[in-house]
PDB file of all heavy atoms in Angstrom:
ATOM      1  N   HIS A 277     -13.162   5.488  58.738  1.00  0.00           N
ATOM      2  CA  HIS A 277     -13.761   6.813  58.670  1.00  0.00           C
ATOM      3  C   HIS A 277     -15.186   6.881  59.244  1.00  0.00           C
ATOM      4  O   HIS A 277     -15.659   7.963  59.492  1.00  0.00           O
ATOM      5  CB  HIS A 277     -13.597   7.475  57.313  1.00  0.00           C
ATOM      6  CG  HIS A 277     -14.561   6.777  56.360  1.00  0.00           C
ATOM      7  ND1 HIS A 277     -14.293   5.605  55.684  1.00  0.00           N
ATOM      8  CD2 HIS A 277     -15.742   7.156  55.800  1.00  0.00           C
ATOM      9  CE1 HIS A 277     -15.232   5.245  54.869  1.00  0.00           C
ATOM     10  NE2 HIS A 277     -16.102   6.207  54.896  1.00  0.00           N
ATOM     11  N   LEU A 278     -15.862   5.773  59.339  1.00  0.00           N
ATOM     12  CA  LEU A 278     -17.219   5.779  60.020  1.00  0.00           C
ATOM     13  C   LEU A 278     -17.143   4.928  61.293  1.00  0.00           C
ATOM     14  O   LEU A 278     -16.567   3.974  61.350  1.00  0.00           O
ATOM     15  CB  LEU A 278     -18.140   5.020  58.993  1.00  0.00           C
ATOM     16  CG  LEU A 278     -18.519   5.784  57.682  1.00  0.00           C
ATOM     17  CD1 LEU A 278     -19.391   4.946  56.784  1.00  0.00           C
ATOM     18  CD2 LEU A 278     -19.054   7.215  58.006  1.00  0.00           C
ATOM     19  N   PRO A 279     -18.023   5.428  62.267  1.00  0.00           N
ATOM     20  CA  PRO A 279     -18.016   4.731  63.517  1.00  0.00           C
ATOM     21  C   PRO A 279     -18.789   3.414  63.429  1.00  0.00           C
ATOM     22  O   PRO A 279     -19.689   3.305  62.546  1.00  0.00           O
ATOM     23  CB  PRO A 279     -18.607   5.731  64.472  1.00  0.00           C
ATOM     24  CG  PRO A 279     -19.470   6.625  63.586  1.00  0.00           C
ATOM     25  CD  PRO A 279     -18.808   6.634  62.357  1.00  0.00           C
ATOM     26  N   THR A 280     -18.599   2.525  64.357  1.00  0.00           N
ATOM     27  CA  THR A 280     -19.532   1.389  64.572  1.00  0.00           C
ATOM     28  C   THR A 280     -20.705   1.914  65.437  1.00  0.00           C
ATOM     29  O   THR A 280     -20.505   2.561  66.522  1.00  0.00           O
ATOM     30  CB  THR A 280     -18.743   0.300  65.205  1.00  0.00           C
ATOM     31  OG1 THR A 280     -17.622  -0.123  64.411  1.00  0.00           O
ATOM     32  CG2 THR A 280     -19.623  -0.965  65.399  1.00  0.00           C
ATOM     33  N   VAL A 281     -21.883   1.603  65.048  1.00  0.00           N
ATOM     34  CA  VAL A 281     -23.095   1.891  65.776  1.00  0.00           C
ATOM     35  C   VAL A 281     -23.739   0.674  66.407  1.00  0.00           C
ATOM     36  O   VAL A 281     -23.950  -0.254  65.603  1.00  0.00           O
ATOM     37  CB  VAL A 281     -23.994   2.661  64.880  1.00  0.00           C
ATOM     38  CG1 VAL A 281     -25.295   3.064  65.651  1.00  0.00           C
ATOM     39  CG2 VAL A 281     -23.400   3.932  64.270  1.00  0.00           C
ATOM     40  N   SER A 282     -24.071   0.757  67.588  1.00  0.00           N
ATOM     41  CA  SER A 282     -24.689  -0.480  68.392  1.00  0.00           C
ATOM     42  C   SER A 282     -25.744   0.070  69.281  1.00  0.00           C
ATOM     43  O   SER A 282     -25.639   1.259  69.748  1.00  0.00           O
ATOM     44  CB  SER A 282     -23.709  -1.280  68.956  1.00  0.00           C
ATOM     45  OG  SER A 282     -22.949  -0.663  70.033  1.00  0.00           O
ATOM     46  N   VAL A 283     -26.734  -0.770  69.497  1.00  0.00           N
ATOM     47  CA  VAL A 283     -27.741  -0.478  70.540  1.00  0.00           C
ATOM     48  C   VAL A 283     -27.805  -1.485  71.552  1.00  0.00           C
ATOM     49  O   VAL A 283     -27.950  -2.684  71.258  1.00  0.00           O
ATOM     50  CB  VAL A 283     -29.196  -0.325  69.773  1.00  0.00           C
ATOM     51  CG1 VAL A 283     -30.266  -0.032  70.772  1.00  0.00           C
ATOM     52  CG2 VAL A 283     -29.121   0.696  68.714  1.00  0.00           C
ATOM     53  N   PHE A 284     -27.621  -1.148  72.786  1.00  0.00           N
ATOM     54  CA  PHE A 284     -27.746  -2.083  73.878  1.00  0.00           C
ATOM     55  C   PHE A 284     -29.205  -2.050  74.460  1.00  0.00           C
ATOM     56  O   PHE A 284     -29.704  -0.957  74.592  1.00  0.00           O
ATOM     57  CB  PHE A 284     -26.771  -1.746  75.072  1.00  0.00           C
ATOM     58  CG  PHE A 284     -27.035  -2.465  76.341  1.00  0.00           C
ATOM     59  CD1 PHE A 284     -26.581  -3.877  76.409  1.00  0.00           C
ATOM     60  CD2 PHE A 284     -27.658  -1.945  77.387  1.00  0.00           C
ATOM     61  CE1 PHE A 284     -26.935  -4.507  77.583  1.00  0.00           C
ATOM     62  CE2 PHE A 284     -27.955  -2.625  78.492  1.00  0.00           C
ATOM     63  CZ  PHE A 284     -27.529  -3.905  78.613  1.00  0.00           C
ATOM     64  N   SER A 285     -29.686  -3.237  74.680  1.00  0.00           N
ATOM     65  CA  SER A 285     -31.123  -3.352  75.156  1.00  0.00           C
ATOM     66  C   SER A 285     -31.120  -4.381  76.297  1.00  0.00           C
ATOM     67  O   SER A 285     -30.410  -5.409  76.245  1.00  0.00           O
ATOM     68  CB  SER A 285     -32.095  -3.900  74.034  1.00  0.00           C
ATOM     69  OG  SER A 285     -32.072  -2.897  73.021  1.00  0.00           O
ATOM     70  N   GLU A 286     -31.907  -4.022  77.275  1.00  0.00           N
ATOM     71  CA  GLU A 286     -32.265  -5.009  78.256  1.00  0.00           C
ATOM     72  C   GLU A 286     -33.285  -6.032  77.727  1.00  0.00           C
ATOM     73  O   GLU A 286     -34.107  -5.621  76.968  1.00  0.00           O
ATOM     74  CB  GLU A 286     -32.736  -4.401  79.578  1.00  0.00           C
ATOM     75  CG  GLU A 286     -31.748  -3.462  80.209  1.00  0.00           C
ATOM     76  CD  GLU A 286     -32.354  -2.678  81.340  1.00  0.00           C
ATOM     77  OE1 GLU A 286     -33.535  -2.664  81.578  1.00  0.00           O
ATOM     78  OE2 GLU A 286     -31.504  -2.020  82.091  1.00  0.00           O
ATOM     79  N   ILE A 287     -33.142  -7.334  78.153  1.00  0.00           N
ATOM     80  CA  ILE A 287     -34.094  -8.290  77.766  1.00  0.00           C
ATOM     81  C   ILE A 287     -35.175  -8.342  78.900  1.00  0.00           C
ATOM     82  O   ILE A 287     -34.827  -8.505  79.984  1.00  0.00           O
ATOM     83  CB  ILE A 287     -33.450  -9.585  77.392  1.00  0.00           C
ATOM     84  CG1 ILE A 287     -32.557  -9.432  76.245  1.00  0.00           C
ATOM     85  CG2 ILE A 287     -34.499 -10.635  77.275  1.00  0.00           C
ATOM     86  CD1 ILE A 287     -31.891 -10.797  75.886  1.00  0.00           C
ATOM     87  N   THR A 288     -36.444  -8.204  78.467  1.00  0.00           N
ATOM     88  CA  THR A 288     -37.522  -8.135  79.459  1.00  0.00           C
ATOM     89  C   THR A 288     -37.848  -9.468  80.185  1.00  0.00           C
ATOM     90  O   THR A 288     -38.085  -9.545  81.359  1.00  0.00           O
ATOM     91  CB  THR A 288     -38.812  -7.632  78.854  1.00  0.00           C
ATOM     92  OG1 THR A 288     -39.164  -8.454  77.695  1.00  0.00           O
ATOM     93  CG2 THR A 288     -38.684  -6.236  78.384  1.00  0.00           C
ATOM     94  N   VAL A 289     -37.592 -10.601  79.393  1.00  0.00           N
ATOM     95  CA  VAL A 289     -37.659 -11.972  79.915  1.00  0.00           C
ATOM     96  C   VAL A 289     -36.352 -12.626  79.718  1.00  0.00           C
ATOM     97  O   VAL A 289     -35.984 -12.859  78.543  1.00  0.00           O
ATOM     98  CB  VAL A 289     -38.758 -12.795  79.229  1.00  0.00           C
ATOM     99  CG1 VAL A 289     -38.902 -14.194  79.837  1.00  0.00           C
ATOM    100  CG2 VAL A 289     -40.180 -12.000  79.342  1.00  0.00           C
ATOM    101  N   PRO A 290     -35.573 -12.870  80.749  1.00  0.00           N
ATOM    102  CA  PRO A 290     -34.232 -13.475  80.646  1.00  0.00           C
ATOM    103  C   PRO A 290     -34.278 -14.782  79.832  1.00  0.00           C
ATOM    104  O   PRO A 290     -35.168 -15.568  80.023  1.00  0.00           O
ATOM    105  CB  PRO A 290     -33.757 -13.676  82.073  1.00  0.00           C
ATOM    106  CG  PRO A 290     -34.543 -12.716  82.894  1.00  0.00           C
ATOM    107  CD  PRO A 290     -35.879 -12.711  82.200  1.00  0.00           C
ATOM    108  N   ILE A 291     -33.244 -14.918  79.068  1.00  0.00           N
ATOM    109  CA  ILE A 291     -33.025 -16.170  78.237  1.00  0.00           C
ATOM    110  C   ILE A 291     -31.959 -16.938  78.894  1.00  0.00           C
ATOM    111  O   ILE A 291     -30.882 -16.449  79.196  1.00  0.00           O
ATOM    112  CB  ILE A 291     -32.608 -15.887  76.776  1.00  0.00           C
ATOM    113  CG1 ILE A 291     -33.727 -14.911  76.125  1.00  0.00           C
ATOM    114  CG2 ILE A 291     -32.338 -17.093  75.993  1.00  0.00           C
ATOM    115  CD1 ILE A 291     -33.338 -14.354  74.754  1.00  0.00           C
ATOM    116  N   SER A 292     -32.328 -18.274  79.187  1.00  0.00           N
ATOM    117  CA  SER A 292     -31.312 -19.169  79.795  1.00  0.00           C
ATOM    118  C   SER A 292     -30.211 -19.454  78.755  1.00  0.00           C
ATOM    119  O   SER A 292     -30.400 -19.635  77.553  1.00  0.00           O
ATOM    120  CB  SER A 292     -31.948 -20.426  80.295  1.00  0.00           C
ATOM    121  OG  SER A 292     -32.416 -21.264  79.169  1.00  0.00           O
ATOM    122  N   PHE A 293     -28.967 -19.531  79.334  1.00  0.00           N
ATOM    123  CA  PHE A 293     -27.798 -19.880  78.563  1.00  0.00           C
ATOM    124  C   PHE A 293     -27.731 -21.395  78.270  1.00  0.00           C
ATOM    125  O   PHE A 293     -27.985 -22.150  79.202  1.00  0.00           O
ATOM    126  CB  PHE A 293     -26.548 -19.470  79.426  1.00  0.00           C
ATOM    127  CG  PHE A 293     -25.217 -19.362  78.641  1.00  0.00           C
ATOM    128  CD1 PHE A 293     -24.864 -18.165  78.000  1.00  0.00           C
ATOM    129  CD2 PHE A 293     -24.423 -20.361  78.527  1.00  0.00           C
ATOM    130  CE1 PHE A 293     -23.733 -18.051  77.281  1.00  0.00           C
ATOM    131  CE2 PHE A 293     -23.206 -20.314  77.875  1.00  0.00           C
ATOM    132  CZ  PHE A 293     -22.951 -19.142  77.178  1.00  0.00           C
ATOM    133  N   PRO A 294     -27.496 -21.807  77.047  1.00  0.00           N
ATOM    134  CA  PRO A 294     -27.494 -23.178  76.789  1.00  0.00           C
ATOM    135  C   PRO A 294     -26.448 -23.998  77.637  1.00  0.00           C
ATOM    136  O   PRO A 294     -25.317 -23.467  77.872  1.00  0.00           O
ATOM    137  CB  PRO A 294     -27.033 -23.276  75.281  1.00  0.00           C
ATOM    138  CG  PRO A 294     -27.322 -21.932  74.738  1.00  0.00           C
ATOM    139  CD  PRO A 294     -27.226 -20.991  75.884  1.00  0.00           C
ATOM    140  N   ASP A 295     -26.889 -25.006  78.097  1.00  0.00           N
ATOM    141  CA  ASP A 295     -26.018 -25.920  78.951  1.00  0.00           C
ATOM    142  C   ASP A 295     -25.636 -25.417  80.186  1.00  0.00           C
ATOM    143  O   ASP A 295     -24.774 -25.962  80.979  1.00  0.00           O
ATOM    144  CB  ASP A 295     -24.736 -26.333  78.121  1.00  0.00           C
ATOM    145  CG  ASP A 295     -25.044 -27.140  76.756  1.00  0.00           C
ATOM    146  OD1 ASP A 295     -26.066 -27.819  76.787  1.00  0.00           O
ATOM    147  OD2 ASP A 295     -24.242 -26.891  75.916  1.00  0.00           O
ATOM    148  N   MET A 296     -26.166 -24.235  80.608  1.00  0.00           N
ATOM    149  CA  MET A 296     -25.851 -23.580  81.937  1.00  0.00           C
ATOM    150  C   MET A 296     -27.090 -22.962  82.397  1.00  0.00           C
ATOM    151  O   MET A 296     -27.373 -21.774  82.267  1.00  0.00           O
ATOM    152  CB  MET A 296     -24.699 -22.588  81.772  1.00  0.00           C
ATOM    153  CG  MET A 296     -23.470 -23.075  81.306  1.00  0.00           C
ATOM    154  SD  MET A 296     -22.182 -21.807  81.092  1.00  0.00           S
ATOM    155  CE  MET A 296     -21.454 -21.891  82.685  1.00  0.00           C
ATOM    156  N   PRO A 297     -27.953 -23.779  83.071  1.00  0.00           N
ATOM    157  CA  PRO A 297     -29.352 -23.290  83.467  1.00  0.00           C
ATOM    158  C   PRO A 297     -29.355 -22.188  84.480  1.00  0.00           C
ATOM    159  O   PRO A 297     -30.357 -21.488  84.602  1.00  0.00           O
ATOM    160  CB  PRO A 297     -30.051 -24.551  84.025  1.00  0.00           C
ATOM    161  CG  PRO A 297     -28.844 -25.504  84.354  1.00  0.00           C
ATOM    162  CD  PRO A 297     -27.747 -25.166  83.512  1.00  0.00           C
ATOM    163  N   ASP A 298     -28.296 -22.002  85.134  1.00  0.00           N
ATOM    164  CA  ASP A 298     -28.191 -20.952  86.188  1.00  0.00           C
ATOM    165  C   ASP A 298     -27.629 -19.544  85.699  1.00  0.00           C
ATOM    166  O   ASP A 298     -27.594 -18.572  86.314  1.00  0.00           O
ATOM    167  CB  ASP A 298     -27.357 -21.356  87.432  1.00  0.00           C
ATOM    168  CG  ASP A 298     -27.872 -22.594  88.115  1.00  0.00           C
ATOM    169  OD1 ASP A 298     -29.070 -22.736  88.001  1.00  0.00           O
ATOM    170  OD2 ASP A 298     -27.169 -23.189  88.865  1.00  0.00           O
ATOM    171  N   VAL A 299     -27.409 -19.527  84.327  1.00  0.00           N
ATOM    172  CA  VAL A 299     -26.819 -18.404  83.779  1.00  0.00           C
ATOM    173  C   VAL A 299     -27.833 -17.802  82.772  1.00  0.00           C
ATOM    174  O   VAL A 299     -28.370 -18.592  82.002  1.00  0.00           O
ATOM    175  CB  VAL A 299     -25.466 -18.568  83.056  1.00  0.00           C
ATOM    176  CG1 VAL A 299     -24.941 -17.364  82.331  1.00  0.00           C
ATOM    177  CG2 VAL A 299     -24.442 -19.141  83.996  1.00  0.00           C
ATOM    178  N   PHE A 300     -28.168 -16.593  82.881  1.00  0.00           N
ATOM    179  CA  PHE A 300     -29.101 -16.028  81.961  1.00  0.00           C
ATOM    180  C   PHE A 300     -28.639 -14.795  81.247  1.00  0.00           C
ATOM    181  O   PHE A 300     -27.836 -14.035  81.682  1.00  0.00           O
ATOM    182  CB  PHE A 300     -30.334 -15.452  82.882  1.00  0.00           C
ATOM    183  CG  PHE A 300     -31.140 -16.635  83.457  1.00  0.00           C
ATOM    184  CD1 PHE A 300     -30.854 -16.947  84.808  1.00  0.00           C
ATOM    185  CD2 PHE A 300     -32.155 -17.279  82.785  1.00  0.00           C
ATOM    186  CE1 PHE A 300     -31.539 -18.014  85.402  1.00  0.00           C
ATOM    187  CE2 PHE A 300     -32.848 -18.265  83.460  1.00  0.00           C
ATOM    188  CZ  PHE A 300     -32.535 -18.573  84.771  1.00  0.00           C
ATOM    189  N   VAL A 301     -29.185 -14.647  79.989  1.00  0.00           N
ATOM    190  CA  VAL A 301     -28.920 -13.417  79.250  1.00  0.00           C
ATOM    191  C   VAL A 301     -29.761 -12.314  79.689  1.00  0.00           C
ATOM    192  O   VAL A 301     -30.944 -12.440  79.681  1.00  0.00           O
ATOM    193  CB  VAL A 301     -29.054 -13.759  77.699  1.00  0.00           C
ATOM    194  CG1 VAL A 301     -28.834 -12.484  76.838  1.00  0.00           C
ATOM    195  CG2 VAL A 301     -28.163 -14.853  77.252  1.00  0.00           C
ATOM    196  N   LYS A 302     -29.219 -11.290  80.179  1.00  0.00           N
ATOM    197  CA  LYS A 302     -30.010 -10.114  80.667  1.00  0.00           C
ATOM    198  C   LYS A 302     -30.080  -8.908  79.705  1.00  0.00           C
ATOM    199  O   LYS A 302     -30.951  -8.088  79.831  1.00  0.00           O
ATOM    200  CB  LYS A 302     -29.280  -9.631  82.049  1.00  0.00           C
ATOM    201  CG  LYS A 302     -29.341 -10.570  83.138  1.00  0.00           C
ATOM    202  CD  LYS A 302     -30.731 -10.761  83.693  1.00  0.00           C
ATOM    203  CE  LYS A 302     -30.700 -11.485  84.905  1.00  0.00           C
ATOM    204  NZ  LYS A 302     -31.898 -11.360  85.742  1.00  0.00           N
ATOM    205  N   GLY A 303     -29.195  -8.909  78.714  1.00  0.00           N
ATOM    206  CA  GLY A 303     -29.212  -7.851  77.833  1.00  0.00           C
ATOM    207  C   GLY A 303     -28.564  -8.240  76.480  1.00  0.00           C
ATOM    208  O   GLY A 303     -27.826  -9.422  76.397  1.00  0.00           O
ATOM    209  N   VAL A 304     -28.695  -7.520  75.471  1.00  0.00           N
ATOM    210  CA  VAL A 304     -28.149  -7.876  74.134  1.00  0.00           C
ATOM    211  C   VAL A 304     -27.789  -6.617  73.436  1.00  0.00           C
ATOM    212  O   VAL A 304     -28.542  -5.536  73.520  1.00  0.00           O
ATOM    213  CB  VAL A 304     -29.156  -8.676  73.207  1.00  0.00           C
ATOM    214  CG1 VAL A 304     -30.449  -7.852  72.885  1.00  0.00           C
ATOM    215  CG2 VAL A 304     -28.525  -9.220  71.980  1.00  0.00           C
ATOM    216  N   THR A 305     -26.718  -6.607  72.666  1.00  0.00           N
ATOM    217  CA  THR A 305     -26.319  -5.411  71.908  1.00  0.00           C
ATOM    218  C   THR A 305     -26.335  -5.858  70.498  1.00  0.00           C
ATOM    219  O   THR A 305     -25.892  -6.931  70.015  1.00  0.00           O
ATOM    220  CB  THR A 305     -24.801  -5.042  72.270  1.00  0.00           C
ATOM    221  OG1 THR A 305     -24.799  -4.580  73.588  1.00  0.00           O
ATOM    222  CG2 THR A 305     -24.353  -3.975  71.273  1.00  0.00           C
ATOM    223  N   GLY A 306     -26.997  -5.093  69.658  1.00  0.00           N
ATOM    224  CA  GLY A 306     -27.085  -5.264  68.172  1.00  0.00           C
ATOM    225  C   GLY A 306     -26.185  -4.285  67.521  1.00  0.00           C
ATOM    226  O   GLY A 306     -26.317  -3.085  67.690  1.00  0.00           O
ATOM    227  N   VAL A 307     -25.178  -4.753  66.794  1.00  0.00           N
ATOM    228  CA  VAL A 307     -24.271  -3.896  66.053  1.00  0.00           C
ATOM    229  C   VAL A 307     -24.847  -3.666  64.639  1.00  0.00           C
ATOM    230  O   VAL A 307     -25.206  -4.698  63.912  1.00  0.00           O
ATOM    231  CB  VAL A 307     -22.879  -4.516  65.936  1.00  0.00           C
ATOM    232  CG1 VAL A 307     -21.838  -3.565  65.125  1.00  0.00           C
ATOM    233  CG2 VAL A 307     -22.394  -4.814  67.350  1.00  0.00           C
ATOM    234  N   LEU A 308     -24.992  -2.432  64.235  1.00  0.00           N
ATOM    235  CA  LEU A 308     -25.666  -2.075  62.952  1.00  0.00           C
ATOM    236  C   LEU A 308     -24.568  -1.634  61.948  1.00  0.00           C
ATOM    237  O   LEU A 308     -23.508  -1.040  62.276  1.00  0.00           O
ATOM    238  CB  LEU A 308     -26.623  -0.917  63.122  1.00  0.00           C
ATOM    239  CG  LEU A 308     -27.724  -1.167  64.125  1.00  0.00           C
ATOM    240  CD1 LEU A 308     -28.437   0.186  64.421  1.00  0.00           C
ATOM    241  CD2 LEU A 308     -28.795  -2.112  63.463  1.00  0.00           C
ATOM    242  N   ASP A 309     -24.856  -1.976  60.602  1.00  0.00           N
ATOM    243  CA  ASP A 309     -24.072  -1.521  59.611  1.00  0.00           C
ATOM    244  C   ASP A 309     -24.710  -0.270  59.168  1.00  0.00           C
ATOM    245  O   ASP A 309     -25.890   0.119  59.613  1.00  0.00           O
ATOM    246  CB  ASP A 309     -23.962  -2.480  58.363  1.00  0.00           C
ATOM    247  CG  ASP A 309     -25.160  -2.853  57.701  1.00  0.00           C
ATOM    248  OD1 ASP A 309     -26.241  -2.182  57.921  1.00  0.00           O
ATOM    249  OD2 ASP A 309     -25.127  -3.831  56.896  1.00  0.00           O
ATOM    250  N   TRP A 310     -24.134   0.403  58.136  1.00  0.00           N
ATOM    251  CA  TRP A 310     -24.768   1.808  57.710  1.00  0.00           C
ATOM    252  C   TRP A 310     -25.860   1.670  56.859  1.00  0.00           C
ATOM    253  O   TRP A 310     -26.471   2.664  56.468  1.00  0.00           O
ATOM    254  CB  TRP A 310     -23.570   2.588  57.105  1.00  0.00           C
ATOM    255  CG  TRP A 310     -22.601   3.141  58.227  1.00  0.00           C
ATOM    256  CD1 TRP A 310     -21.546   2.458  58.675  1.00  0.00           C
ATOM    257  CD2 TRP A 310     -22.909   4.260  59.027  1.00  0.00           C
ATOM    258  NE1 TRP A 310     -21.129   3.283  59.710  1.00  0.00           N
ATOM    259  CE2 TRP A 310     -21.919   4.261  59.978  1.00  0.00           C
ATOM    260  CE3 TRP A 310     -23.922   5.220  59.002  1.00  0.00           C
ATOM    261  CZ2 TRP A 310     -21.850   5.349  60.908  1.00  0.00           C
ATOM    262  CZ3 TRP A 310     -23.882   6.241  60.010  1.00  0.00           C
ATOM    263  CH2 TRP A 310     -22.857   6.211  61.002  1.00  0.00           C
ATOM    264  N   ASN A 311     -26.389   0.387  56.522  1.00  0.00           N
ATOM    265  CA  ASN A 311     -27.599   0.175  55.765  1.00  0.00           C
ATOM    266  C   ASN A 311     -28.645  -0.133  56.717  1.00  0.00           C
ATOM    267  O   ASN A 311     -29.817  -0.439  56.317  1.00  0.00           O
ATOM    268  CB  ASN A 311     -27.380  -0.927  54.773  1.00  0.00           C
ATOM    269  CG  ASN A 311     -26.471  -0.509  53.608  1.00  0.00           C
ATOM    270  OD1 ASN A 311     -26.533   0.622  53.241  1.00  0.00           O
ATOM    271  ND2 ASN A 311     -25.587  -1.447  53.255  1.00  0.00           N
TER     272      ASN A 311
END
C-alpha cells in the first residue's frame, strides 16, 4: 500500500569499482524507508 521512495544522485567525484580500475561509479540511488 505504500510506494518505495528513492533518490538518484550523481557522484561529483567518480569512485573506482573494486578490482576494475577502468570502471567508475557515476551515480548512486538511495532507497528510503518511511522513517
